[in-house]
Amino acid sequence: MIFLDAAATTPVRKEVLEAMWPYLTGEFGNPSSHHGLGEAAANALSAARATVAKAIGCRSGEITFTSGGTEADNLAVKGIALARRARDAALNRIAISAIEHPAVEESARYLERVHGFVVDVVPVDSDGTVTPEAFRSALRPETALASIMYANNEIGTVQPVRQLSEVSAEYGVPFHTDAVQAAGWLPIDAKELGVDAMSISGHKLGAPKGSGVLYAKGRLRLEPLVHGGGQERGRRSGTENVAGAVSLATALAIATSEQSERAGRVSQLRDAFIRTILETVPGALLTGHPSQRLPSIASFCFPGTSGESVLLELERFGVVCSSGSACAAGSDAPSPVLTALGIEAEVAQTAVRFSFDSTVTAVELEQAADAVAAAVGSVQGLGKR
């Protein structure tokens, strides 16, 4: 099997399992308990928080552990917007891009539906880029929060986050970025990016599913989504997942240390794979920005096919990939990300996404490219009968 669906999830790294194992077995204490076992857990949690803070370039107190990227996005969008409006009733607008992950988009729509916020959607160009000019036009004096993802999970386009955060700062609007796909591939220093909040997920980095992080700058207020014992400095109640925090911190530290090397190597493999597909598959259409894209994602539309049919053929050839976001799997509707780029719905339904982890090899991608040509040819041939 050639696994090319790393944007959906990644295998757990051996180093991560070894780091978290003690907190699943002998050192299983509750970090809120006032005894030796609890204190050991509390120390492990503090160490994990410090490790994450170092990777992001922030203070430990600015880190909140969550159950994953989705919760981190929800806490950022709902928590910041509601807290700001509680202090100023005029702040009732949220700006998001047209290609946000459902965790951000649905959080904004919830605030619109239940709390009366207005959602301003920033359009993207045909490459999936939010330009500073388009972003500026969406901001208002009433904007409580802007949330633009760092890199798209379907097409891989990387946004000019630093420029966008500077525009947001001009208006005094807190800027959140979903960095779930970017972490491990792109620099994530919060100060360098100029962001006020940032979401990360562990299972995209080699940690188990169920761990995430929200960075929230300094005294930025958050209305908590989960109430109870006041853990995580009151931002996220509930007994902390110590093993999960340790796993995420370990995976993030490793990915950050390897980031430059792995990004450079995989970018070269990605570009060769893209060239081969475009040269050998008639009509293949690359989606996303041709160069400002994640090293780990190559996405295409194959007009005249069905994306799901191509996936089935590829799996028969031993290649595992996806038709887009794993969160939208099973939906018959065309991807909103692709239609936002101006791609016709019929063509958008032929999309296939290939996403790589840091261990992918040139041989694997050469074999995968051959499989793609065969699979698309086979599906197109069936359609002509």
Side-chain angles (χ1 to χ4, degrees):
M1 181 184 74
I2 300 175
F3 181 73
L4 301 182
D5 198 20
T9 197
T10 57
V12 179
R13 297 185 62 139
K14 180 175 181 288
E15 306 96 314
V16 171
L17 281 173
E18 290 173 346
M20 69 185 295
W21 183 250
Y23 306 101
L24 294 170
T25 53
E27 300 180 38
F28 56 86
N30 184 326
S32 296
S33 297
H34 298 291
H35 48 58
L37 202 59
E39 289 176 4
N43 290 337
L45 189 65
S46 294
R49 201 182 307 277
T51 298
V52 173
K54 181 179 179 181
I56 295 175
C58 68
R59 299 193 301 271
S60 292
E62 297 173 316
I63 295 298
T64 300
F65 286 112
T66 69
S67 63
T70 290
E71 186 189 344
D73 282 342
N74 272 256
L75 180 56
V77 175
K78 297 173 184 174
I80 296 171
L82 288 172
R84 294 201 77 212
R85 196 176 70 171
R87 302 188 74 183
D88 184 347
L91 298 174
N92 68 338
R93 304 182 80 97
I94 303 167
I96 64 172
S97 83
I99 60 170
E100 290 304 309
H101 188 276
V104 167
E105 200 223 344
E106 290 302 316
S107 292
R109 295 302 178 189
Y110 163 81
L111 291 173
E112 179 181 55
R113 186 176 65 252
V114 177
H115 294 279
F117 279 79
V118 176
V119 179
D120 295 307
V121 178
V122 187
V124 295
D125 64 18
S126 60
D127 293 328
T129 302
V130 176
T131 66
E133 295 75 23
F135 181 56
R136 184 184 297 276
S137 69
L139 298 181
R140 306 281 188 277
E142 302 82 21
T143 305
L145 172 71
S147 182
I148 308 291
M149 68 194 326
Y150 194 173
N152 187 265
N153 55 303
E154 292 187 40
I155 59 175
T157 296
V158 176
Q159 303 297 346
V161 169
R162 179 69 201 188
Q163 295 178 44
L164 300 178
S165 67
E166 288 174 351
V167 172
S168 201
E170 290 177 25
Y171 286 77
V173 175
F175 186 93
H176 164 254
T177 192
D178 175 341
V180 166
Q181 293 295 337
W185 296 108
L186 303 174
I188 55 168
D189 186 287
K191 293 184 179 65
E192 290 295 320
L193 293 172
V195 300
D196 300 290
M198 179 166 56
S199 305
I200 294 174
S201 179
H203 76 103
K204 312 294 187 180
L205 299 165
K209 302 166 190 67
S211 60
V213 153
L214 175 65
Y215 155 75
K217 182 179 179 180
R219 296 184 179 180
L220 185 63
R221 292 177 178 268
L222 289 173
E223 178 64 33
L225 306 184
V226 181
H227 301 88
Q231 290 88 345
E232 295 296 298
R233 301 183 67 180
R235 291 179 166 179
R236 201 262 188 184
S237 292
T239 302
E240 299 94 339
N241 177 3
V242 178
V246 170
S247 73
L248 185 148
T250 304
L252 182 61
I254 294 171
T256 301
S257 68
E258 298 175 346
Q259 184 255 315
S260 180
E261 184 279 329
R262 77 199 298 236
R265 185 182 71 83
V266 176
S267 290
Q268 293 182 346
L269 297 178
R270 175 208 63 196
D271 290 344
F273 179 75
I274 289 172
R275 283 195 303 270
T276 302
I277 297 298
L278 295 179
E279 290 170 359
T280 61
V281 181
L285 170 68
L286 178 70
T287 60
H289 198 284
S291 59
Q292 297 303 310
R293 64 188 302 127
L294 283 171
S296 55
I297 291 182
S299 53
F300 304 88
C301 287
F302 299 112
T305 71
S306 156
E308 292 297 328
S309 296
V310 172
L311 290 180
L312 291 173
E313 279 295 293
L314 284 172
E315 190 163 5
R316 192 169 66 84
F317 286 115
V319 177
V320 176
C321 52
S322 70
S323 58
S325 172
C327 299
S331 172
D332 293 330
S335 163
V337 170
L338 297 181
T339 55
L341 271 59
I343 297 174
E344 294 181 1
E346 184 177 355
V347 175
Q349 289 178 313
T350 72
V352 178
R353 178 190 70 182
F354 304 90
S355 51
F356 324 125
D357 67 14
S358 61
T359 65
V360 71
T361 66
V363 171
E364 287 177 323
L365 291 186
E366 288 167 5
Q367 293 174 345
D370 290 341
V372 172
V376 173
S378 174
V379 173
Q380 287 176 335
L382 288 172
K384 294 177 181 177
R385 293 181 182 178

